[in-house]
Amino acid sequence: MAQRILALAAEEAPERLREALQSLGESELGDMVTGQALSGRETAALLRGIFKGSPCSQQSGVLRRLQVYKHCILLVESGDLHLAKVSEIIGLLMLEARQLPGPALAELATLFVDVIKGGSLSNGKSLELFSTVLTALANSKESLAYGKGELNGEEFKKQLINTLCSSKWDPQSVIHLANMFRDIPLSGEELQFVVEKVLRMFSKLDLQEIPPLVYQLLLLSAKGSKKTVLEGIISFFNQLDKRQKEEQKVPQSGDLEVATMPLDQLRHVEGTVILHIVSVINLHQDLSEELIKHVKTEQQKDPARALCPFSVALLLSVAVKHRQQEQIFDFLKTSITRSCKDVQFLQASKFLQDLLPQQYDVTAVILEVVENSAFGWDHVTQGLVDLGFSLMESYEPKKPFGGKAAEASYGLSKMPAQQACRLGASILLETFKVHEPIRSDILEQVLNRVLTKAGSPVSHFIGLLSSIVVAAPLVLQSLSSKVTETFDNLSFLPIDTVQGLLRAVQPLLKVSMSVRDSLILVLQKAIFSRQLNARKAAVAGFLLLLRNFKILGSLASSQCSQAFGATQVQADVHACYNSAANEAFCLEILGSLRRCLSQQADVRLMLYEGFYDVLRRNSQLASSIMETLLSQIKQYYLPQPDLLPPLKLEGCIMAQGDQIFLQEPLAHLLCCIQHCLAWYKSTVYPCQRAEDDNEEEDVGFEQNFEEMLESVTRRMIKSELEDFELDKSADFSLSSGVGVKNNIYAIQVMGICEVLIEYNFNIGNFSKNRFEDVLGLFTCYNKLSEILKEKAGKNKSNSGSKTPRSFLSMGFVSTLLTALFRDNAQSHEESLAVLRSSTEFLRYAVSVALQKVQQLEETGQTDGPDGQNPDKMFQNLCKVTQVLLWRYTSIPTVVEESGKKKGKSISLLCLEGLLRIFNTVQQLYSARIPQFLQALDITDGDAEETDINVTEKAAFQIRQFQRSLVNQFSSAEDDFNSKEAQSLITVLSTLSKLLDPTSQQFLQFLTWTVKVCKENTLEDISCCKGLLSLLFSLHVQYKSPVGLLRELAQDIHACLGDIDQDIELESRSHFAIVNAKTAAPTVCLLVLGQADKVLEEVDWLIKKLTSLGSDTSEESSQASSQAQALEKGVILQLGTLVTVYHELVQTALPAGSCVDTLLRSLSKTYAILTSLIKHYIQACRNTSNTIPGRLEKLVKLSGSHLTPQCYSFITYVQNIHSESLSFAEEKKKKKEAESAAISTVMAKVLRETKPIPNLIFAIEQYEKFLIHLSKKSKVNLMQYMKLSTSRDFRINASMLNSTLQEHSTEDAENEPDNNQSSTAEQTDENQEPKKKRQRRK
């Protein structure tokens, strides 16, 4: 039969063809087509023949066509045919489909829907036909039967799509369906239906099938619904990531583990999806704009959803190739800083912590992206690197004006900018570890920034470089050429940068011979450079090499002076270089360094400060170094035993024209000798003695040094100031050459005395004679010190030159203080009595300790041996603190001050020292605070380190200072020491940070602080400020301080009186600290400052509320319960604040800062009230909810207790200003010369009345939005607001009449009228508030 139809079709005999086809039944027709298709013969020709004999003009033809279409669809999807045959059949059917009438198309489309619903699609090829059918149907103008009614083609298509999207889809056919919809013209609504359906199918598909489906969906989004597509994809992968994390946290049982998705598979799928999105964005740029818009909108609502690991990775991938890079990085940077600020904001307030316990941390998310990128996400790495550098550059440490930049390497980084910079470094370090291809790029960029940013602080980049080297020194060997290129520029860098850079690459020097050799070449060139900076760089480099390349046989240094000693690569140097080579290498360097001893003072200084460390790390160099120092000191030492002074000071200076410079820092040289000798005698010498292998020359130099120091000591004690050409009559001004020379001499002599004090004390072994020598040396030092202080006092321009830095080492200071104040040994008593008898010496010892702690606090290290060793510094700090604490608590200042002559008392110096130490420990040694507090508690010395309770230990120390403060307050007025009380309050404030806010001890301390403020009538302004600041800082960690503010505001009101003089106030007082002296401006400004902080918190909460309100996600019920809690908190805070301002605006505050601050604070309050009302207006738009009763009460309170009083207060402010103006006018008449003073008053009045219009505008804005809310909520909120006629301008009828009369009279008579009118204006102005006051009564 098939052959006959083919033959008839070929003969162009339509009638016979039609007859032949009519003779066939439906099943026969189907079998014929199937047979022809399966045999692979002319299927297309047969179908064409059938269509030829079935014209659409006849009903029978249409029906036959439909039968063929239905049969072919099932045949194609059966999977029996070859794909080429399938394409041929579908192609033909698609061509013929457009000729079908509407009802036939409708029937065919319905069949397709049924096939899809039934899940019988196998290869989805027939869907190409479905898209053609739907397109043709949409263009059909006929009315089609649908159910009981009729629809046109477009509406019928819409119904079909709706039915299709509402039905169940077979997961295997989702991709084919998504592809099909791309070819169908869809309206916006239909497209939304389709997209949402496909997104719902994500969870039902296998992970591997997601990327192709995402690709189809993205191509489909070219028609619209981009936001929905992106939101769906991001949300889906965010949920998967969360589930993965939860599964990792909870160890699953075996059968469940089978069901979970493998982590690497998930990450690879995410990486592929990101690639697909980026490739589609290349085709459609507007998709990237939609992505940025989406994450920005989401961030306003819920940052955790907007910036999840997947979306951050996607943004970074998009940023690399597109013009939106700047926009994306700005968004990420603001998100990071905002997240850090939010965390900081929450930590500072217990009130906020209770309302919002969880807070999202974006930094953890970004580091998670770095971790995830290890799974082949190469397209993300460049974005990560760019973001890392962008963060480090945007938030780098700032250089203070004229000062040294604060180092980022120590102390806690608590500021959001510092945390962002730290995050940038972490991103780069982790990316460096994970991604090999980009390592070279990261290293090159870090080194470039170290070189090019020499003018600004680069400590953060050097810190990063150090971390990179520590993490992978062997990896860096392959990149060593980049490091050696950097060495060529060492001569041009600041010395701090050079030292940091060399310390950072030091582990690399141990594993790479080429790097070491290239560094030595550069340093040897630099040592002969004309630039001082280059020579200093050379010295720094050589000292580093000497410290780190040990000669075999050197003693093991148990106390490494550099922090990086233990953590860096433990390479066996002797595998690369034998000991002979190392020794030759070190001696060659020493030879180069000897040349530096004839260069400038700065270069020599670096050598003297570095030799001790070299000696300790490389003891085999001892004899060479000691010989070098001996030959150097001999140039200035005068050996004749009776010659005074013992050293040639004139050899230490050099004149160039009129200017005089220090050439040889003699005191530093002597200091270096003393420390090296002490170390040599205690460490090397005993070892050599034990081996019975004494080398004669070693004994020689040791003996030489001892004799020399002995002789210098004896002669320095005998020397008078005149011997050094220094006495009281000498010129010390820095403007003349002689003065500069005398200053240099004085500082050198004082330094030499200090070095000798340390030397004699250390070798004295508590001998009385030695201690008398120490006191003799101190006498010489003290005389000079007094002269310098006296001269500096007279010449004020010199006051900038502070006390010279002490030469005593931190270790010696701790030993000396312990001996002076805590040594109770019977055998030492007599000799120590010599030193203890001199109060000046005791004061000197404490003040040096104070200077050392200050240096440690500011720079993280001190001068002298072990100054850069954090462990040693910490031990010394603990010892010093023990002594100062004992001295301060044992001997009260009052007892001491009765016998003192001048200068600060020792107790007060001890207290200052303790304050600095507590600050320093929290900054530099936060991890060791438990050990620090343990060391102070002498009673509990043997406790285990593991069970140290920081809160208990801190509370014990706090109690000691509480007692001292109470004693101060209870002492007689003459004995009250304001400076000491202030320091005690600051110490308490610092120690309170160590208390756990949830502990009983914290609550006790807060209660005690409240009690002190309530019971002490303190008139000292500074102490009052300190105490209230302490009270507020404690209170905010316990609960919201609004109740406290209300009591203080009531006290201020009672103390200063009411703006209406006729009103008598009750004389009640909550806090005795609020009195006539402190109420204004001190307490008032502190209360307003704290109220402003509360307002900031409320403002922050309202923003959170608004974002919760606009969140329409599934967790909306949870969000609404959280929103209700936030609303309650906000309204209660604002309600109490209104009562605080209610008191303050009725207070007769003096003109000035209090009035100005209060007016600004009121404007802010109204602005925040307005933003709350706006939030409720928005809430009413979104839902039909009524406004809560609490809000109505708040509005009522603001209308009764704030707005009327604000207008009265404005009138009061204008009155006091008009009084000051009229007073100035009277003065002007008396003295014309005082016009400048009057213009100052005018300017002051203008400045202080400026906030008034702003306040009135804020009130009126508040009332405007109240009217809007009243309309939306159908609740009349304006019934509580009394509109006042008082504004920042007024028209007085009487004044207007008098002005009009003046215009009608002649000019000569104008002046008296003007005077009258001005008096009329004043009387009228004075009367108007009276009307208001009567109304108020």
Side-chain angles (χ1 to χ4, degrees):
M1 192 65 190
Q3 294 304 320
R4 185 176 166 217
I5 289 169
L6 284 168
L8 288 169
E11 287 172 14
E12 296 288 334
E15 288 301 323
R16 286 163 64 201
L17 180 60
R18 214 173 295 135
E19 284 167 14
L21 286 169
Q22 277 171 351
S23 66
L24 289 171
E26 189 177 336
S27 57
E28 289 170 343
L29 188 66
D31 291 342
M32 182 177 69
V33 173
T34 305
Q36 196 76 359
L38 288 173
S39 63
R41 291 200 295 274
E42 301 162 307
T43 317
L46 177 66
L47 287 173
R48 275 193 209 97
I50 294 171
F51 290 147
K52 211 172 199 181
S54 312
C56 290
S57 55
Q58 296 174 3
Q59 187 61 31
S60 59
V62 171
L63 287 171
R64 196 176 301 116
R65 284 192 177 219
L66 265 179
Q67 287 167 13
V68 171
Y69 268 91
K70 288 176 182 176
H71 185 76
C72 284
I73 289 167
L74 297 172
L75 179 64
V76 164
E77 289 299 337
S78 67
D80 297 337
L81 299 183
H82 195 272
L83 275 178
K85 186 61 71 179
V86 168
S87 299
E88 187 184 10
I89 293 170
I90 292 294
L92 182 63
L93 294 179
M94 283 165 71
L95 279 172
E96 294 291 333
R98 297 187 187 282
Q99 295 177 25
L100 287 171
L105 287 169
E107 194 177 334
L108 204 51
T110 311
L111 169 74
F112 266 111
V113 171
D114 293 338
V115 168
I116 293 165
K117 276 179 167 177
S120 52
L121 287 177
S122 63
N123 54 22
K125 274 287 179 185
S126 62
L127 289 176
E128 292 176 27
L129 176 59
F130 186 26
S131 63
T132 311
V133 169
L134 279 177
T135 308
L137 188 62
N139 296 330
S140 170
K141 300 286 184 269
E142 299 172 56
S143 291
L144 307 167
Y146 184 82
K148 290 180 181 176
E150 287 188 345
L151 300 172
N152 66 23
E154 182 63 44
E155 288 168 346
F156 195 90
K157 182 200 75 169
K158 187 176 182 180
Q159 286 299 334
L160 280 177
I161 289 175
N162 205 343
T163 311
L164 189 57
C165 291
S166 310
S167 60
K168 190 178 177 184
W169 290 2
D170 178 18
Q172 290 179 337
S173 57
V174 178
I175 295 170
H176 303 308
L177 286 164
N179 187 18
M180 176 201 78
F181 280 114
R182 281 171 51 204
D183 302 327
I184 302 170
L186 298 169
S187 67
E189 195 182 340
E190 289 163 358
L191 184 62
Q192 191 70 12
F193 274 153
V194 172
V195 166
E196 284 171 3
K197 173 64 180 175
V198 176
L199 286 170
R200 284 200 299 276
M201 291 303 297
F202 271 21
S203 54
K204 298 184 174 68
L205 291 180
D206 191 45
L207 254 187
Q208 297 298 337
E209 291 174 355
I210 300 282
L213 178 57
V214 166
Y215 188 68
Q216 293 300 332
L217 199 52
L218 288 164
L219 293 175
L220 182 61
S221 73
K223 296 182 172 193
S225 292
K226 293 181 177 63
K227 179 177 177 290
T228 313
V229 170
L230 289 168
E231 191 175 350
I233 295 169
I234 291 170
S235 174
F236 174 71
F237 284 107
N238 191 11
Q239 292 303 323
L240 282 185
D241 281 343
K242 280 182 185 169
R243 203 185 314 155
Q244 181 73 36
K245 267 189 219 157
E246 282 161 18
E247 284 169 6
Q248 282 176 341
K249 279 182 198 166
V250 183
Q252 301 281 5
S253 61
D255 57 334
L256 279 174
E257 268 183 29
V258 179
T260 63
M261 69 208 92
L263 179 65
D264 57 342
Q265 190 185 347
L266 172 63
R267 295 287 173 254
H268 286 306
V269 166
E270 286 178 336
T272 313
V273 167
I274 290 171
L275 268 178
H276 282 329
I277 297 174
V278 174
S279 65
V280 173
I281 284 175
N282 287 335
L283 300 172
H284 306 288
Q285 287 291 332
D286 50 347
L287 190 62
S288 64
E289 288 162 18
E290 196 62 55
L291 172 66
I292 295 168
K293 204 187 295 177
H294 163 67
V295 287
K296 282 184 177 174
T297 316
E298 276 297 311
Q299 197 205 24
Q300 296 302 321
K301 300 180 196 170
D302 180 5
R305 272 216 316 257
L307 287 178
C308 56
F310 179 80
S311 63
V312 171
L314 175 58
L315 283 170
L316 290 171
S317 302
V318 172
V320 175
K321 291 185 180 176
H322 295 89
R323 61 177 186 273
Q324 275 88 4
Q325 180 172 16
E326 198 176 326
Q327 208 178 340
I328 289 172
F329 280 0
D330 285 347
F331 167 71
L332 287 172
K333 285 191 287 192
T334 50
S335 301
I336 289 163
T337 46
R338 189 182 297 170
S339 167
C340 295
K341 278 176 190 167
D342 283 357
V343 170
Q344 195 182 26
F345 213 56
L346 272 172
Q347 285 170 348
S349 167
K350 184 73 169 71
F351 164 68
L352 291 180
Q353 286 165 24
D354 292 343
L355 281 176
L356 286 166
Q358 302 160 327
Q359 194 53 33
Y360 161 76
D361 182 15
V362 77
T363 55
V365 171
I366 292 177
L367 289 174
E368 198 178 320
V369 173
V370 183
E371 193 184 316
N372 295 349
S373 68
F375 293 91
W377 292 8
D378 294 340
H379 44 280
V380 180
T381 49
Q382 191 56 54
L384 281 168
V385 171
D386 292 347
L387 177 66
F389 281 114
S390 182
L391 283 170
M392 288 188 81
E393 287 179 330
S394 303
Y395 305 108
E396 62 189 7
K398 296 288 179 279
K399 190 173 187 179
F401 181 71
K404 197 179 164 189
E407 287 290 313
S409 57
Y410 64 85
L412 286 174
S413 55
K414 290 184 179 173
M415 299 306 290
Q418 288 171 314
Q419 288 173 330
C421 183
R422 183 72 54 93
L423 172 65
S426 303
I427 291 170
L428 290 167
L429 176 61
E430 295 306 315
T431 308
F432 185 90
K433 288 179 186 173
V434 171
H435 296 280
E436 192 177 338
I438 211 155
R439 282 175 183 166
S440 165
D441 183 37
I442 292 175
L443 183 65
E444 190 173 349
Q445 288 202 52
V446 171
L447 291 170
N448 284 347
R449 281 165 172 80
V450 170
L451 295 178
T452 55
K453 288 179 166 283
S456 56
V458 288
S459 53
H460 52 309
F461 285 115
I462 287 176
L464 171 60
L465 178 63
S466 179
S467 304
I468 286 173
V469 176
V470 170
L474 295 169
V475 168
L476 278 186
Q477 251 189 304
S478 57
L479 305 171
S480 58
S481 60
K482 300 208 180 299
V483 180
T484 52
E485 282 169 27
T486 312
F487 290 157
D488 296 336
N489 297 292
L490 280 185
S491 328
F492 309 109
L493 297 177
I495 189 65
D496 293 336
T497 306
V498 172
Q499 287 176 317
L501 182 63
L502 291 175
R503 269 203 298 269
V505 299
Q506 177 257 330
L508 190 58
L509 300 176
K510 289 192 170 185
V511 292
S512 173
M513 204 166 182
S514 61
V515 175
R516 191 197 76 166
D517 292 344
S518 64
L519 176 62
I520 291 168
L521 274 173
V522 168
L523 296 178
Q524 281 179 334
K525 279 184 201 167
I527 219 157
F528 296 106
S529 168
R530 300 174 87 178
Q531 301 294 323
L532 173 63
N533 227 27
R535 291 203 288 275
K536 284 166 79 174
V539 170
F542 279 141
L543 287 171
L544 179 97
L545 289 168
L546 286 177
R547 279 203 301 272
N548 287 294
F549 285 87
K550 277 193 178 182
I551 300 169
L552 216 56
S554 286
L555 298 168
S557 171
S558 58
Q559 62 272 43
C560 269
S561 75
Q562 296 299 335
F564 51 67
T567 56
Q568 300 194 338
V569 64
Q570 300 296 319
D572 182 10
V573 182
H574 311 297
C576 302
Y577 325 111
N578 60 31
S579 74
N582 255 0
E583 186 164 6
F585 162 68
C586 288
L587 291 174
E588 183 191 344
I589 290 176
L590 264 181
S592 299
L593 288 178
R594 279 196 193 97
R595 295 192 194 102
C596 299
L597 291 173
S598 59
Q599 293 182 359
Q600 288 100 323
D602 284 1
V603 180
R604 300 184 193 195
L605 193 61
M606 284 187 74
L607 266 180
Y608 299 150
E609 287 177 344
F611 270 152
Y612 175 80
D613 256 352
V614 170
L615 205 61
R616 263 199 18 213
R617 305 283 284 278
N618 217 342
S619 59
Q620 287 291 307
L621 295 173
S623 52
S624 305
I625 289 175
M626 296 302 254
E627 287 294 347
T628 305
L629 291 172
L630 185 60
S631 63
Q632 188 70 5
I633 191 72
K634 277 181 177 174
Q635 296 175 34
Y636 306 99
Y637 173 65
L638 300 166
Q640 296 88 333
D642 300 325
L643 209 59
L644 297 179
L647 297 161
K648 284 190 284 189
L649 286 181
E650 59 274 11
C652 300
I653 56 170
M654 181 183 74
Q656 268 185 6
D658 298 340
Q659 292 182 306
I660 290 176
F661 299 100
L662 174 68
Q663 177 70 11
E664 175 67 70
L666 196 57
H668 283 90
L669 171 58
L670 214 57
C671 185
C672 176
I673 288 169
Q674 184 250 317
H675 288 310
C676 289
L677 187 63
W679 180 83
Y680 181 83
K681 281 168 70 179
S682 64
T683 314
V684 181
Y685 192 50
C687 296
Q688 290 182 345
R689 290 274 293 276
E691 291 167 11
D692 293 318
D693 187 20
N694 296 350
E695 295 177 25
E696 286 304 315
E697 71 267 22
D698 286 2
V699 177
F701 72 65
E702 185 195 347
Q703 202 169 342
N704 272 337
F705 278 134
E706 284 179 349
E707 285 170 5
M708 192 184 292
L709 289 168
E710 191 65 45
S711 169
V712 172
T713 301
R714 201 173 56 255
R715 287 188 276 164
M716 283 296 283
I717 293 166
K718 286 180 187 172
S719 299
E720 293 295 326
L721 292 184
E722 287 77 5
D723 296 328
F724 301 105
E725 301 172 22
L726 301 169
D727 56 21
K728 282 194 175 183
S729 58
D731 174 18
F732 285 94
S733 71
L734 293 176
S735 52
S736 68
V738 177
V740 171
K741 185 194 80 170
N742 288 341
N743 265 298
I744 291 172
Y745 278 5
I747 289 166
Q748 291 303 313
V749 171
M750 285 164 72
I752 291 163
C753 288
E754 285 193 305
V755 171
L756 294 171
I757 286 171
E758 183 167 345
Y759 173 75
N760 282 286
F761 187 96
N762 284 338
I763 66 160
N765 198 17
F766 292 92
S767 119
K768 189 177 178 185
N769 293 343
R770 282 288 178 194
F771 284 3
E772 281 169 354
D773 288 350
V774 167
L775 212 54
L777 289 163
F778 172 70
T779 309
C780 176
Y781 169 90
N782 203 36
K783 277 182 197 168
L784 265 176
S785 175
E786 291 298 324
I787 289 172
L788 283 181
K789 275 182 198 164
E790 191 183 320
K791 297 284 181 186
K794 282 180 187 171
N795 186 3
K796 288 293 175 191
S797 63
N798 248 8
S799 58
S801 56
K802 294 183 283 188
T803 317
R805 234 179 227 174
S806 174
F807 280 79
L808 304 185
S809 64
M810 184 69 170
F812 173 66
V813 170
S814 65
T815 308
L816 178 64
L817 284 176
T818 309
L820 290 176
F821 296 119
R822 301 288 285 139
D823 193 332
N824 299 322
Q826 199 70 39
S827 55
H828 299 166
E829 196 174 328
E830 188 187 352
S831 54
L832 283 170
V834 174
L835 297 178
R836 287 170 179 166
S837 63
S838 165
T839 314
E840 286 298 326
F841 186 72
L842 297 177
R843 187 178 293 136
Y844 160 74
V846 177
S847 59
V848 170
L850 195 61
Q851 191 192 84
K852 291 284 172 193
V853 174
Q854 187 175 352
Q855 193 188 358
L856 188 64
E857 184 182 22
E858 288 168 2
T859 64
Q861 57 189 48
T862 64
D863 296 331
D866 301 318
Q868 295 179 349
N869 180 351
D871 296 331
K872 286 278 183 187
M873 282 299 105
F874 180 70
Q875 289 164 19
N876 291 330
L877 212 52
C878 290
K879 281 185 193 170
V880 169
T881 315
Q882 281 175 351
V883 177
L884 297 184
L885 195 57
W886 178 86
R887 175 69 177 72
Y888 178 73
T889 48
S890 308
I891 304 172
T893 324
V894 184
V895 177
E896 192 184 332
E897 284 189 336
S898 54
K900 97 171 175 165
K901 294 171 187 171
K902 57 178 178 174
K904 283 183 185 172
S905 67
I906 295 171
S907 285
L908 203 51
L909 281 173
C910 289
L911 184 59
E912 275 182 42
L914 288 167
L915 173 55
R916 281 197 176 277
I917 289 169
F918 292 142
N919 266 325
T920 308
V921 169
Q922 286 186 36
Q923 265 184 28
L924 305 188
Y925 303 105
S926 55
R928 300 195 199 176
I929 286 172
Q931 291 81 356
F932 174 74
L933 292 172
Q934 178 75 18
L936 299 192
D937 193 353
I938 303 152
T939 56
D940 191 21
D942 303 326
E944 286 290 319
E945 283 209 358
T946 48
D947 58 358
I948 300 171
N949 184 330
V950 172
T951 298
E952 276 180 22
K953 299 278 182 196
F956 174 73
Q957 299 303 337
I958 283 172
R959 282 196 291 277
Q960 298 196 61
F961 292 107
Q962 280 175 314
R963 281 194 287 274
S964 302
L965 188 59
V966 169
N967 291 341
Q968 274 293 329
F969 289 151
S970 55
S971 61
E973 203 171 316
D974 300 343
D975 292 336
F976 178 75
N977 185 331
S978 168
K979 186 87 178 72
E980 185 176 358
Q982 282 174 56
S983 296
L984 280 167
I985 292 164
T986 318
V987 166
L988 287 170
S989 182
T990 309
L991 287 174
S992 70
K993 293 172 191 167
L994 302 178
L995 295 175
D996 175 10
T998 58
S999 65
Q1000 195 58 38
Q1001 288 90 336
F1002 182 87
L1003 190 56
Q1004 285 167 357
F1005 184 43
L1006 172 61
T1007 314
W1008 176 84
T1009 312
V1010 172
K1011 187 169 176 253
V1012 167
C1013 292
K1014 284 190 170 180
E1015 292 176 2
N1016 288 289
T1017 311
L1018 192 63
E1019 294 195 340
D1020 185 89
I1021 302 290
S1022 305
C1023 290
C1024 167
K1025 214 174 195 173
L1027 260 180
L1028 278 179
S1029 301
L1030 171 64
L1031 176 60
F1032 288 145
S1033 70
L1034 294 172
H1035 210 287
V1036 291
Q1037 293 176 62
Y1038 176 62
K1039 64 176 182 183
S1040 174
V1042 282
L1044 180 72
L1045 293 175
R1046 180 168 53 195
E1047 289 182 358
L1048 284 164
Q1050 286 167 352
D1051 288 352
I1052 294 169
H1053 191 183
C1055 203
L1056 296 176
D1058 198 273
I1059 54 175
D1060 184 345
Q1061 293 166 3
D1062 302 343
I1063 290 179
E1064 284 185 28
L1065 296 163
E1066 296 173 34
S1067 59
R1068 55 181 178 170
S1069 172
H1070 302 96
F1071 289 88
I1073 200 169
V1074 183
N1075 50 55
K1077 268 198 175 180
T1078 59
T1082 311
V1083 179
C1084 180
L1085 288 177
L1086 281 168
V1087 166
L1088 286 171
Q1090 195 60 40
D1092 273 357
K1093 285 181 186 171
V1094 176
L1095 283 173
E1096 278 173 27
E1097 288 177 7
V1098 170
D1099 192 29
W1100 188 78
L1101 281 174
I1102 292 171
K1103 283 174 187 160
K1104 291 279 171 211
L1105 257 179
T1106 311
S1107 67
L1108 282 172
S1110 60
D1111 190 1
T1112 53
S1113 62
E1114 298 80 28
E1115 302 102 2
S1116 54
S1117 58
Q1118 184 191 342
S1120 67
S1121 62
Q1122 191 183 12
Q1124 283 174 1
L1126 290 185
E1127 283 174 2
K1128 183 181 175 184
V1130 164
I1131 292 171
L1132 287 175
Q1133 290 289 86
L1134 282 172
T1136 318
L1137 274 181
V1138 167
T1139 60
V1140 172
Y1141 288 116
H1142 171 69
E1143 294 292 337
L1144 292 176
V1145 290
Q1146 294 181 90
T1147 307
L1149 293 170
S1153 57
C1154 286
V1155 169
D1156 191 42
T1157 313
L1158 177 56
L1159 287 170
R1160 289 176 201 281
S1161 196
L1162 284 166
S1163 300
K1164 197 184 283 185
T1165 307
Y1166 276 107
I1168 286 166
L1169 281 167
T1170 308
S1171 60
L1172 180 66
I1173 297 301
K1174 282 180 183 173
H1175 161 69
Y1176 278 106
I1177 292 172
Q1178 190 60 43
C1180 285
R1181 275 193 199 126
N1182 293 345
T1183 59
S1184 55
N1185 292 349
T1186 54
I1187 57 169
R1190 275 192 216 94
L1191 181 70
E1192 214 173 322
K1193 283 180 186 170
L1194 176 65
V1195 173
K1196 186 177 180 181
L1197 189 68
S1198 69
S1200 61
H1201 276 60
L1202 195 57
T1203 309
Q1205 285 79 0
C1206 277
Y1207 284 125
S1208 304
F1209 185 68
I1210 289 169
T1211 309
Y1212 162 76
V1213 172
Q1214 287 174 325
N1215 285 342
I1216 56 175
H1217 286 317
S1218 63
E1219 280 168 24
S1220 63
L1221 277 175
S1222 59
F1223 180 66
E1225 286 290 333
E1226 281 172 28
K1227 267 192 159 183
K1228 189 177 181 182
K1229 286 173 192 171
K1230 290 175 190 172
K1231 285 185 183 176
E1232 289 296 329
E1234 287 193 8
S1235 60
I1238 290 152
S1239 60
T1240 309
V1241 172
M1242 294 280 284
K1244 189 181 174 192
V1245 168
L1246 272 172
R1247 191 173 63 249
E1248 289 177 358
T1249 51
K1250 204 175 178 182
I1252 293 176
N1254 296 340
L1255 172 58
I1256 288 169
F1257 176 73
I1259 295 172
E1260 288 175 349
Q1261 283 292 100
Y1262 172 54
E1263 291 172 356
K1264 172 186 159 185
F1265 283 100
L1266 274 180
I1267 294 167
H1268 282 310
L1269 183 58
S1270 300
K1271 286 176 185 172
K1272 287 263 182 256
S1273 63
K1274 309 288 188 292
V1275 177
N1276 182 15
L1277 295 170
M1278 288 307 291
Q1279 63 182 328
Y1280 308 118
M1281 310 304 288
K1282 294 172 188 170
L1283 288 175
S1284 170
T1285 52
S1286 175
R1287 290 289 184 265
D1288 60 335
F1289 65 90
R1290 279 170 303 215
I1291 298 171
N1292 289 327
S1294 58
M1295 184 181 148
L1296 186 64
N1297 289 333
S1298 64
T1299 312
L1300 289 169
Q1301 284 167 15
E1302 281 164 28
H1303 279 293
S1304 62
T1305 58
E1306 289 178 10
D1307 287 348
E1309 296 170 3
N1310 274 352
E1311 284 185 23
D1313 285 345
N1314 275 338
N1315 289 341
Q1316 283 166 14
S1317 71
S1318 63
T1319 52
E1321 179 191 347
Q1322 279 186 14
T1323 54
D1324 204 73
E1325 265 191 36
N1326 291 335
Q1327 280 168 4
E1328 187 170 348
K1330 279 190 179 174
K1331 290 177 193 169
K1332 281 193 67 145
R1333 283 202 286 267
Q1334 284 164 5
R1335 190 163 70 241
R1336 215 177 103 207
K1337 284 175 188 174

